[in-house]
Structures are given as C-alpha cells and as structure tokens.
Amino acid sequence: IKRINKKAMYQLPGAKRKTKANFVCFIDQSGSMSDEDIAQLFAELENLAKETEIDVFHFDTSIDHTSHTKWKRGRTYPPHRTRCGGTDFSCISRYLNKQENRGRYSGCLILTDGYADKMPQVIGTKVMWVITHGGTLEAIRPGDLVVKMDDPKKVKPK
C-alpha cells in the first residue's frame, strides 16, 4: 500500500515505505532455569529467526553484553549457558530505557520461568513474556503479552 501524496492526490504516485521489525530477546540464565528449559527456548528462537533478525542477550541479575548474538535466518546456535545467578528483570528495563536504545526495538521477548519481582516500566517497546512450562505468571505486568509453553514431554509429535 502506498501513501497518497497530499498535495497532488491521485495524480502523483505515493511513497512506499519499507518497515522492518526489530526484536530483542533476553534469555534468563538464572539457576532456576534447567538446561532442558534453555534448550527448548533456543529451539523456539530458531523458529522465530526464520521470519526476522533478532538480537539476543543472556541475563540473570545483569545483562551479559558479551553474549550478544544476532540470530539470522538459516543459522543454528547450540544452547549454552553464560550465567547462573538469581533473576532481576530491572536490568532489562534499564537497558531498554537508555537514551540510545529507546525506540530502537519494536518488540522485546523475555524467555524466563518468571520467578522474580515485577519488571519496571519500559518506554517505547512492546514486551512479550515466554514462560517455561514449570514457570509462574506472577512477574507479568498488566498489558504485556504472555505465552506459557507446554511441557515438551506431554506434546505429541506431528
């Protein structure tokens, strides 16, 4: 769909804008996350990366900037751990609310089990929570999108 020229309506072609969604994903690496949960989350990210590029960070009480990877279509990344402390979601909101990151991402995915305090407000970015099958929904804020994963042992293969 092209945007109609306001000065010469329907006489001059409008401008076609290319929009691309930028997503950032934060993977919880705390001690409460099992290796199976992290492997399942990595598999979901591979499926999401088929549609768009995703910036991925690991976090526990702080964001691990050395773990930053840009997931692209067709590439596989082995599940791995870089942290194993507690969980604090306020480091994510601090990162997204920094002046240089404000408005940079259209969406933020947080892959976690949800065992932590609620995250403070995030400005300019939609937040989606992906909770593992054994996780809790207590950390979810009103207005955020939530997905609770099924137990992989109970899912029937197609």
Side-chain angles (χ1 to χ4, degrees):
I1 298 174
K2 290 186 177 181
R3 185 172 182 212
I4 298 171
N5 189 326
K6 291 183 180 180
K7 292 183 179 178
M9 287 194 229
Y10 302 106
Q11 295 173 0
L12 297 173
K16 189 172 185 179
R17 297 183 181 177
K18 294 182 180 180
T19 58
K20 183 178 177 185
N22 286 332
F23 288 102
V24 62
C25 179
F26 296 97
I27 300 176
D28 186 1
Q29 297 277 315
S30 65
S32 61
M33 296 283 290
S34 68
D35 290 338
E36 293 82 20
D37 290 340
I38 291 175
Q40 187 179 13
L41 294 175
F42 268 72
E44 288 300 322
L45 271 180
E46 280 187 28
N47 290 332
L48 286 174
K50 291 178 184 175
E51 302 298 323
T52 185
E53 293 180 359
I54 303 171
D55 288 337
V56 179
F57 293 94
H58 297 173
F59 80 100
D60 55 3
T61 56
S62 63
I63 295 175
D64 183 12
H65 292 283
T66 60
S67 69
H68 176 251
T69 53
K70 187 175 271 296
W71 286 42
K72 297 182 180 183
R73 181 186 312 194
R75 294 189 182 169
T76 59
Y77 299 93
H80 61 281
R81 276 189 180 272
T82 58
R83 305 226 162 193
C84 63
T87 306
D88 185 16
F89 297 126
S90 62
C91 64
I92 296 171
S93 65
R94 281 194 306 269
Y95 177 79
L96 293 173
N97 289 334
K98 281 185 184 176
Q99 190 65 34
E100 62 266 12
N101 294 330
R102 211 176 269 182
R104 180 178 173 189
Y105 300 107
S106 54
C108 167
L109 292 164
I110 301 174
L111 307 175
T112 182
D113 56 0
Y115 291 110
D117 293 334
K118 289 192 177 195
M119 183 172 71
Q121 183 178 2
V122 174
I123 300 169
T125 304
K126 298 285 185 185
V127 178
M128 180 177 175
W129 299 81
V130 179
I131 307 292
T132 59
H133 67 278
T136 180
L137 300 175
E138 293 176 6
I140 309 304
R141 303 172 308 165
D144 289 346
L145 299 170
V146 181
V147 173
K148 178 130 179 166
M149 298 176 80
D150 289 331
D151 188 359
K153 297 172 186 166
K154 293 182 181 179
V155 175
K156 296 178 184 176
K158 291 181 180 181

